[in-house]
Amino acid sequence: MSPLGNIIRKEVKELLTPATFLPIVIMAIVFGSMGNAIGGIEEEMKEKPVIGLINVDNDRFSTLATSILNENAEVVFNSSDIMDKQKGLETLREENGVALIVIQKNFTENILKGVPGEFEVYWVMKGAGITDSISSSIVEDLISLVNTNITKELISTNTSVNATTALTPTFRNETTYFKGKELHGLSPSVISSILSSQSTLVPIIMMMIIIVSGGMVISSMALEKENKTLETLLTLPVKRTSIVAGKIIASAIIGLFLAVIYMLGLGYWMQSMQVTSNVNLADYNLVLSGGDLLLIGLSVFVTLLAALSLCMLLGTFARNYKSAQTLTFPVTLLALLPMFMIMFKDFDTMPLVVKVLLFCIPFSHPMMAPRALLFGDYPLVVSGIVYVSIFALIMISLSVWVFKTDRIITGSTNRFKK
Amino acid sequence: MSVVEVKDLVKKFGSVEAVKGISFTIDKGEIFGLIGPNGAGKTTTLRIISTLLTATSGSVKISGFDLHKNPGEIRKIISYLPEDAGVYKNLTGRGYLEFIANFFNTKQTRDMVSKGIEIADLGERINDRVDTYSKGMKRRLLVGRTLMTNPKLAILDEPTSGLDVINAQEIRRIIKNTTQGGTTVLLSSHNMLEVEFLCDRIALIDDGLIVEEGKPQVLMEKYHASNIEEVFTRVVG
């Protein structure tokens, strides 16, 4: 074999390890699942939205509107009596519908007079994730289609209305029902955009803290082993719990410090990207109280503790700095997964299996906490804090236990097993 | 009076028995050497005595403290120098000694560091970062760290491993002197000359068993050997 071939063979042998391939394989699976999820979104976009209709007007343009809506949506409730509104909403909720559209009295007459006709839209919003607002977007598109058709009708029949009304013949008076709140004047898309701009920062920062601090803990353990300093440390008069706690606390301090720097940069960036909203959330009682902020802080703290304890446990398996890089992968994955899941779907609208999975991933709790608290879902946040605290305690106990066993020195109790 | 009492010590790693029931004692102020080929069980024995590994069976007592029951108390009175021990590279020599001294009695921290600096004898370089040190300088710093705490038992695994003649001699001199302060030394070594020079008593270990034990001079006479290397070859070979 030529010298070049000899070197290539040796290098390939060295690189061809499960540690090299496993992260890539898992990443491919994750991307594949995300591709499926996006495929699912496309499917959902093709589906007809479920709506209810109350046509009080029963005239030329309202008939046009109902025919378009009937053709392009699955209408589960139809009425011409305004008193049926409550009944319509109940039917909509039962049928997993998205909106009850009420075409008000004098709709046609007003348009012909040059005054935009009124659509009263009662949205039933299920979640604030990207995929949760698909149906409502389709209904918004259908209302735009109705507008276009009325405009065409006005122009083709040479009706003498002012240009503004001809181009924008209707307006929407919206009310959204979301997580037990009745929000007047807000559509699901507006609520989604407000909530996402509010709650995107927390998952990203949380993910960064976990990955950065977790990486530090694992690397610290790996370096202790690689630099052969661990053996000395373990024979000094210091409790194993102090060694574990010391490493976790130091990484948490650095992690939080880095997070503050990161948050400042990201905050300015997001501020510059954000479209100024005229909606004052305080008007809708959508603000976090001091107690809520305290709960978020507690959730972040216990999650950081859990993440670092898990990393400490993983770090005990690190043989050297190179193997530490591989060990950070599961932590990175566990931090990225809930971030994406929460961005796509609201916890409430997820299938039960996904809900259980998300709840079990300790890092997802501080990511979900701000939105949950905004809508008063205290049981989810408090149970999350309790769960993550228990998880952290178990991880710390396991780390201390590993520190007390031979595994910390030998890497495995069966090192010499044939 | 025995500082170390090892009785029927066994250590298994899975199905492999690395130490197969060894027993020995070391008296106060004595330098006791464990000598044996690679894989004989020397380092495993030292790691058990220094509380790093747990024994499968048997007992170890250090200054009356049972290793199984009181590892915390034992760590206060021992000092272990692993064969390939490292130093935190981002610290200075002085910083490293201070870091270690802080784990002990805070009232004596300054004295400990001064003693460590004196043993390491690195001059002004003690204030330089460790990653600029040569191998010999690092080893001297580690020996300084090991002996500065005035341990009742110093456990030294190949203390002069990989060092040049001058550095090795200096470290041997330091180890010899340390017993005058009442420290007992347990060391392992491949270097037979070193063992002959340093140890009051030695134990030859092979395949996890102590095959011979005694004073170097007595063993040399017993095996009609001119040095410990010959004794070693005759017993183990």
Side-chain angles (χ1 to χ4, degrees), chain A residues 161-345:
Chain A
V161 292
N162 60 64
T164 313
T165 308
L167 291 171
T168 320
T170 68
F171 73 97
R172 278 182 279 165
N173 186 359
E174 295 165 310
T175 302
T176 301
Y177 298 97
F178 184 44
K179 299 194 178 194
K181 283 189 189 285
E182 196 174 328
L183 307 160
H184 294 287
L186 294 182
S187 69
S189 55
V190 172
I191 296 169
S192 275
S193 78
I194 294 168
L195 290 181
S196 68
S197 64
Q198 261 206 350
S199 58
T200 307
L201 202 63
V202 176
I204 293 175
I205 289 167
M206 205 53 226
M207 179 204 64
M208 285 304 298
I209 300 175
I210 289 165
I211 292 173
V212 173
S213 320
M216 278 192 287
V217 168
I218 295 177
S219 301
S220 157
M221 278 306 299
L223 283 172
E224 289 269 14
K225 286 190 179 182
E226 192 170 287
N227 295 336
K228 313 281 181 192
T229 48
L230 187 64
E231 288 189 25
T232 303
L233 189 64
L234 292 174
T235 57
L236 292 170
V238 54
K239 285 180 181 170
R240 302 306 201 236
T241 38
S242 300
I243 298 173
V244 172
K247 284 185 179 293
I248 289 176
I249 292 167
S251 303
I253 291 168
I254 303 294
L256 286 172
F257 179 66
L258 292 177
V260 170
I261 298 171
Y262 186 80
M263 193 166 65
L264 286 173
L266 195 73
Y268 279 118
W269 178 74
M270 288 195 76
Q271 223 170 34
S272 62
M273 298 292 282
Q274 207 171 308
V275 180
T276 316
S277 170
N278 295 323
V279 180
N280 184 6
L281 292 174
D283 295 343
Y284 299 94
N285 204 18
L286 286 177
V287 282
L288 294 169
S289 66
D292 293 342
L293 292 173
L294 202 70
L295 279 174
I296 292 173
L298 193 61
S299 181
V300 169
F301 174 74
V302 292
T303 303
L304 189 59
L305 205 63
L308 296 179
S309 318
L310 173 66
C311 290
M312 176 58 81
L313 189 62
L314 288 170
T316 60
F317 295 100
R319 290 187 305 276
N320 48 40
Y321 195 72
K322 191 186 168 193
S323 68
Q325 305 309 307
T326 314
L327 286 165
T328 53
F329 180 75
V331 182
T332 307
L333 194 73
L334 284 177
L336 284 173
L337 212 62
M339 191 189 84
F340 283 122
M341 283 162 86
I342 290 162
M343 276 167 126
F344 275 102
K345 275 254 181 217

Side-chain angles (χ1 to χ4, degrees), chain A residues 224 227-228 231 406 416, chain B residues 11 16 47 54 84 86 88:
Chain A
E224 289 269 14
N227 295 336
K228 313 281 181 192
E231 288 189 25
D406 295 355
F416 298 102
Chain B
K11 178 64 187 175
V16 174
R47 281 177 163 182
T54 50
D84 48 3
Y88 298 106

